[in-house]
């Protein structure tokens, strides 16, 4: 949060993204930092992640639902599409 606040202070218009591997239990806390986008790993359901990000931001008094990215199962990269 301290680093994010310094970035936002110096570059207020630059979007910020946070990603923490295996962070399913921390989604609300990540969103509450004020980051613009929370990146979810593949173990988190995208719809649930969006709801939890919005809830974390609301609880912290932040406006808007926040952005979400990620959630691609790495196994898909090795799949056979033939």
């Amino acid at each position: 949060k301290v680093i994010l606040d310094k970035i936002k202070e110096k570059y207020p218009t630059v979007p910020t993204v946070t990603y923490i591997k295996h962070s399913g239990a921390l989604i609300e806390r990540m969103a509450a930092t004020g980051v613009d986008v929370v990146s979810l790993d593949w173990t988190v359901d995208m719809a649930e992640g969006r709801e939890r990000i919005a809830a974390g931001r609301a609880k912290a008094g932040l406006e808007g639902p926040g952005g979400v990215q990620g959630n691609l199962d790495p196994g898909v990269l090795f799949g056979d599409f033939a």
Side-chain angles (χ1 to χ4, degrees), residues 24-69:
L26 302 174
I27 294 171
E28 291 85 354
R29 291 177 66 187
M30 291 169 27
T33 64
V35 69
D36 297 301
V37 176
V38 174
S39 185
L40 303 175
D41 69 21
W42 69 275
T43 63
V44 178
D45 177 75
M46 187 64 88
E48 177 187 345
R50 282 192 305 265
E51 291 174 10
R52 291 177 59 195
I53 290 166
R57 289 180 57 84
K59 186 175 180 181
L62 299 168
E63 292 184 19
V68 62
Q69 75 170 21

Side-chain angles (χ1 to χ4, degrees), residues 42 71-81:
W42 69 275
N71 184 267
L72 176 65
D73 181 346
V76 171
L77 299 174
F78 299 106
D80 182 9
F81 295 102

Side-chain angles (χ1 to χ4, degrees), residues 1-12 14-18 33-35:
K1 174 92 170 98
V2 172
I3 294 170
L4 179 65
D5 289 344
K6 288 185 183 285
I7 292 169
K8 290 285 193 178
E9 181 180 317
K10 189 165 184 173
Y11 306 102
V14 173
T16 54
V17 179
T18 190
T33 64
V35 69

